[in-house]
């Protein structure tokens, strides 16, 4: 069976990290785009369909938590995995309260990351499925009213 | 009038009649008098009954007054000495003052005069005693402050370093991982030196993991996740630690066991942190033991404190290392095996819990680590805002009384 690739957006101010990380994920068969700031991330989300955003918490300008808040406000269905180089889990936990799917310490264990990516994609798919069903139910009711 | 006899005097003179008469006169003036007939017994007396002021004849058979005074000044620096000299023996007195006497009086002694001198000497002795105490206290305080400051700045530095290293480490890790994926591709299978590339990349990944362990421990020291305080049974915690160490223990052929404990000990602390410390100590203990060794845990409590002992039958720690084991990055393990941060972080945690850690060791016999923590850890008021400490204290007390049948 052919595995459906995950649409991933990597957001980190470390350009080298974004580049290497993206190459690796692409090699695993995912569809990856990388940007270096929170604002660029939001811009990309305007025009591109993304399943999972992998988001660094500590960035100059708009930091990860702010970006996360904005992502969840604009596109609540997009899943976010936080990356922290700081080891302190409290910001990460704050992020999860804001709706992030999970977090990882940098440098992340790749197996861990792949598992979390899969989990995030699954959660998004289920969410979409529920929305689709709800929409079709309401459509049926409306069309029922017509006749 | 109060009957306090605060001023204690040791009277040293070989002439019994003179000494006893003088003692009587002083006692009537509410001075507590001890007597000695010569220098040697004076020093014995001081050992048993320390006094503020010694009044001493210069001319005595055996050890004379000046010699005895030298011993007193050496062994009892808080004691002031007033010398009694013969009539017209001024030079004796002056020599005495040079040697550290408070003052000298010529015989025959006028009681009023001697009393004055005794009170002056007493005041000086007390003052000096207070000064010494104060200096001691200030030194201890300054030392404590210096340590605290050092730890704080070290914490900031550690967090900065760890963060700055984790980011490039992440890049190295992803780059190596990417190369590994490329090597697995069909196009690369026939590539020259394929196996060597693979081996080199493996080394990179292994080293990244090692560096990561170090930075994570450094961060553990710098910014620990929020402490969660709750009430625990020490017995449960110890059982948990033994369970968690079971894997390492059986691999090393070491027994980890709990000693029998007479009663249960309840305490209010951060179990996660305390467990981390104990696991670290047990793990060190296992590493120190050869096959057939034993690591035992025991605990006890007294009033406000709980103590936990981790004892191993391992190779022990040589004296020269014993002073250094709590230093960051101090390790005797081969490179890559120990980070040298375990005990450093453990001590930091215990201090944050308001406690302390002690170590005793004998080379070839084994090592004992003792962790003491307050049974009501109040080091983190911010986290425990919503808990009424008095209630908690009362509850612990009630349990204690119930358990031991006291009161």
């Amino acid at each position: 069976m052919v595995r459906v690739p995950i649409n991933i957006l990597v957001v980190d101010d470390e350009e080298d990290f974004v580049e290497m990380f993206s190459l690796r994920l692409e090699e695993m068969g995912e569809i990856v785009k990388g940007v270096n700031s929170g604002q660029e991330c939001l811009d990309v989300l305007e025009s591109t369909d993304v399943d999972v955003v992998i988001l660094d918490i500590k960035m100059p300008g708009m930091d990860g938590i702010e970006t996360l808040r904005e992502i969840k406000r604009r596109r609540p269905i997009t899943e976010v995995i936080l990356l922290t180089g700081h080891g302190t889990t409290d910001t990460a936990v704050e992020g999860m309260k804001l709706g992030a799917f999970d977090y990882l310490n940098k440098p992340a264990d790749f197996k861990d990351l792949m598992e979390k990516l899969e989990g995030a994609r699954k959660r998004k798919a289920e969410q979409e499925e529920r929305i689709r069903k709800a929409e079709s139910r309401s459509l049926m009711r409306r069309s029922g009213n017509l006749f | 009038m109060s009957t306090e006899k605060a001023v204690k005097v040791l009277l040293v003179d070989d002439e019994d009649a003179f000494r006893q008469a003088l003692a009587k006169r002083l006692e009537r003036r509410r001075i507590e008098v001890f007597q000695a007939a010569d220098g040697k017994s004076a020093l014995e007396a001081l050992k048993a009954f320390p006094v503020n002021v010694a009044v001493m004849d210069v001319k005595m058979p055996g050890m004379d007054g000046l010699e005895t005074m030298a011993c007193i000044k050496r062994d009892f620096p808080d004691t002031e000495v007033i010398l009694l000299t013969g009539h017209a023996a001024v030079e004796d007195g002056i020599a005495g003052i040079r040697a550290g006497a408070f003052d000298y009086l010529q015989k025959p002694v006028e009681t009023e005069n001697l009393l004055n001198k005794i009170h002056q000497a007493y005041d000086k002795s007390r003052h000096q005693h207070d000064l010494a105490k104060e200096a001691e206290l200030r030194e201890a305080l300054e030392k404590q402050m210096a340590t605290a400051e050092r730890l704080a700045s070290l914490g900031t530095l550690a967090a900065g370093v760890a963060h700055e290293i984790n980011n490039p480490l992440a890049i190295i890790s992803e780059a190596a991982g990417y190369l590994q994926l490329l090597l697995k591709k069909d196009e690369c299978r026939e590539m020259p030196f394929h196996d060597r590339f693979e081996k080199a990349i493996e080394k990179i990944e292994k080293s990244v993991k090692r560096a990561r362990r170090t930075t994570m421990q450094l961060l553990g020291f710098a910014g620990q996740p929020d402490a969660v305080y709750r009430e625990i049974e020490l017995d449960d915690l110890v059982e948990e630690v033994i369970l968690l160490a079971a894997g390492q223990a059986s691999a090393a052929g070491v027994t980890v066991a709990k000693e029998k404990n007479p009663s249960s000990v309840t305490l209010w602390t951060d179990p996660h942190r305390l467990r981390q410390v104990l696991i670290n100590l047990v793990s060190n203990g296992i590493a120190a033991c050869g096959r057939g060794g034993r690591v035992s845990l025991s605990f006890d409590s007294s009033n406000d404190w709980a103590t936990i002992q981790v004892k191993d039958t391992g190779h022990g720690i040589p004296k020269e290392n014993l002073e250094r084991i709590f230093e960051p990055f101090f390790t005797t393990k081969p490179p890559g095996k120990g980070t040298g941060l375990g005990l450093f972080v453990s001590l930091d945690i215990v201090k944050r819990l308001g406690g302390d850690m002690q170590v005793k060791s004998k080379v070839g016999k084994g090592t004992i680590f003792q962790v003491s923590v307050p049974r009501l850890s109040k080091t983190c008021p911010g986290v425990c805002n919503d808990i009424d400490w008095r209630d908690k204290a009362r509850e612990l007390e009630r349990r204690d009384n119930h358990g031991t049948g006291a009161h």
Side-chain angles (χ1 to χ4, degrees):
Chain A
M1 202 180 91
V2 181
R3 189 174 158 277
V4 183
I6 311 175
N7 278 298
I8 301 170
L9 177 59
V10 179
V11 191
D12 195 312
D13 58 314
E14 293 262 5
E15 284 177 34
D16 288 343
F17 177 77
V18 173
E19 189 184 346
M20 281 301 130
F21 195 36
S22 305
L23 280 172
R24 193 178 183 182
L25 288 171
E26 271 168 9
E27 205 53 51
M28 293 297 291
E30 319 298 356
I31 298 166
V32 191
K33 209 170 161 59
V35 292
N36 300 118
S37 73
Q39 191 52 55
E40 284 175 88
C41 162
L42 295 176
D43 293 346
V44 169
L45 285 179
E46 285 298 316
S47 56
T48 320
D49 189 28
V50 171
D51 298 319
V52 185
V53 178
I54 298 177
L55 182 61
D56 188 28
I57 289 184
K58 208 175 164 228
M59 289 186 293
M62 190 188 229
D63 73 8
I65 294 294
E66 259 178 88
T67 311
L68 168 68
R69 208 175 262 133
E70 205 46 38
I71 293 171
K72 283 290 162 187
R73 194 178 67 80
R74 297 185 190 183
R75 292 173 162 265
I77 204 168
T78 306
E79 293 294 350
V80 177
I81 293 174
L82 293 167
L83 280 182
T84 163
H86 221 274
T88 47
T89 43
D90 27 353
T91 354
V93 170
E94 189 197 335
M96 289 179 65
K97 283 182 189 157
L98 288 171
F101 178 73
D102 212 333
Y103 75 93
L104 282 164
N105 281 316
K106 262 186 181 178
D109 183 77
F110 200 65
K111 215 176 118 230
D112 264 8
L113 173 82
M114 291 313 286
E115 276 168 20
K116 287 190 173 156
L117 269 175
E118 199 49 61
R121 189 253 289 272
K122 216 174 136 206
R123 186 165 93 165
K124 184 176 179 254
E126 283 165 6
Q127 193 78 358
E128 280 171 337
E129 176 69 13
R130 270 197 297 277
I131 292 171
R132 212 174 44 74
K133 273 187 184 152
E135 271 173 353
S136 66
R137 268 201 306 274
S138 86
L139 204 69
M140 295 251 283
R141 269 201 298 278
R142 244 181 293 154
S143 42
N145 285 345
L146 274 178
F147 298 97
Chain B
M1 241 176 104
S2 81
T3 53
E4 55 168 325
K5 267 193 182 176
V7 182
K8 292 178 184 167
V9 169
L10 175 66
L11 199 54
V12 193
D13 200 307
D14 55 318
E15 285 174 55
D16 288 347
F18 170 79
R19 192 183 67 234
Q20 269 154 19
L22 190 57
K24 230 171 234 147
R25 275 185 279 158
L26 291 176
E27 272 166 354
R28 244 176 284 158
R29 308 299 292 267
R30 286 192 313 284
I31 286 183
E32 201 176 335
V33 183
F34 301 94
Q35 300 185 36
D38 55 58
K40 229 179 128 199
S41 48
L43 290 172
E44 291 294 317
L46 277 178
K47 235 180 259 171
F49 311 100
V51 300
N52 311 104
V53 184
V55 176
M56 189 157 53
D57 192 17
V58 175
K59 286 238 166 355
M60 289 187 295
M63 250 170 118
D64 72 8
L66 291 183
E67 241 180 284
T68 313
M69 184 173 71
C71 295
I72 293 179
K73 286 280 154 194
R74 188 192 61 210
D75 297 340
F76 311 96
D78 283 348
T79 301
E80 290 296 330
V81 179
I82 298 170
L83 292 172
L84 302 178
T85 66
H87 187 56
V90 182
E91 58 279 13
D92 278 354
I94 290 173
I97 287 182
R98 283 215 183 101
F102 176 72
D103 208 341
Y104 71 94
L105 287 173
Q106 287 185 359
K107 281 184 181 176
V109 178
E110 213 227 306
T111 316
E112 221 37 60
N113 211 351
L114 177 60
L115 262 174
N116 263 336
K117 285 276 176 268
I118 287 175
H119 280 294
Q120 284 170 17
Y122 173 75
D123 287 346
K124 186 180 171 204
S125 157
R126 291 305 308 235
H127 186 58
Q128 227 139 35
H129 180 78
D130 289 350
L131 279 184
K133 263 263 142 55
E134 199 186 303
E136 204 177 293
L137 200 73
R138 193 179 315 128
E139 198 186 332
L141 214 68
E142 271 165 14
K143 225 170 158 181
Q144 230 171 40
M145 295 274 287
T147 313
E149 260 168 50
R150 202 171 56 91
L151 281 177
S153 56
L154 213 63
T156 319
L157 184 70
V161 168
H163 186 248
E164 282 317 300
I165 287 177
N166 273 348
N167 272 318
L169 218 48
I171 300 170
I172 296 170
S173 170
E174 297 314 331
Y178 173 55
L179 285 178
Q180 210 166 37
L181 287 178
L182 288 186
L183 279 178
K184 286 206 179 95
K185 286 169 95 91
D186 288 343
E187 301 95 301
C188 287
R189 198 155 287 159
E190 298 304 318
M191 185 182 120
F193 304 120
H194 180 278
D195 292 354
R196 294 189 204 179
F197 271 102
E198 209 158 52
K199 199 169 168 188
I201 290 168
E202 225 169 81
K203 296 279 182 233
I204 294 174
E205 292 202 311
K206 216 170 114 191
S207 303
V208 166
K209 284 207 175 104
R210 172 176 158 192
R212 183 181 193 270
R213 260 204 318 276
T214 304
T215 54
M216 283 303 152
Q217 263 189 304
L218 262 183
L219 283 167
F221 164 73
Q224 291 168 5
D226 290 349
V228 181
Y229 283 68
R230 62 183 171 82
E231 187 183 282
I232 55 157
E233 281 285 341
L234 216 40
D235 199 51
D236 296 343
L237 188 75
V238 166
E239 291 284 356
E240 240 176 81
V241 169
I242 292 172
L243 200 71
L244 286 165
Q248 192 196 347
S250 69
V254 174
T255 317
V256 179
K258 188 180 64 175
E259 308 250 289
K260 280 204 178 69
N261 285 285
S263 59
S264 72
V265 175
T266 332
L267 73 157
W268 182 258
T269 191
D270 178 355
H272 184 72
R273 294 281 136 207
L274 193 56
R275 191 174 60 199
Q276 186 185 341
V277 170
L278 295 182
I279 287 173
N280 183 246
L281 293 179
V282 169
S283 157
N284 283 351
I286 294 171
C289 288
R291 220 152 252 290
R294 183 182 169 88
V295 177
S296 49
L297 288 116
S298 61
F299 56 83
D300 206 350
S301 75
S302 64
N303 300 328
D304 302 336
W305 292 84
T307 52
I308 308 141
Q309 274 199 352
V310 180
K311 198 163 88 182
D312 69 61
T313 58
H315 49 56
I317 305 165
K319 213 174 162 211
E320 65 269 22
N321 289 348
L322 211 51
E323 290 164 12
R324 303 192 54 203
I325 53 170
F326 293 110
E327 284 177 18
F329 300 113
F330 178 78
T331 178
T332 54
K333 291 181 185 154
K337 294 288 178 226
T339 59
L341 289 170
L343 282 176
F344 173 64
V345 172
S346 292
L347 180 63
D348 180 62
I349 291 171
V350 172
K351 290 228 156 127
R352 278 170 208 246
L353 294 175
D356 207 352
M357 200 181 332
Q358 254 104 37
V359 58
K360 269 188 276 182
S361 189
K362 219 175 208 160
V363 172
K365 290 268 178 200
T367 306
I368 302 175
F369 278 92
Q370 181 167 308
V371 176
S372 322
V373 283
R375 294 186 55 203
L376 273 176
S377 197
K378 295 171 200 176
T379 48
C380 222
V383 181
C384 314
N385 265 342
D386 46 349
I387 293 138
D388 188 335
W389 289 109
R390 279 159 304 181
D391 273 1
K392 216 68 233 167
R394 270 197 295 273
E395 197 187 317
L396 280 184
E397 204 173 298
R398 185 176 54 72
R399 287 192 177 202
D400 266 13
N401 294 344
H402 186 71
T404 58
H407 284 265

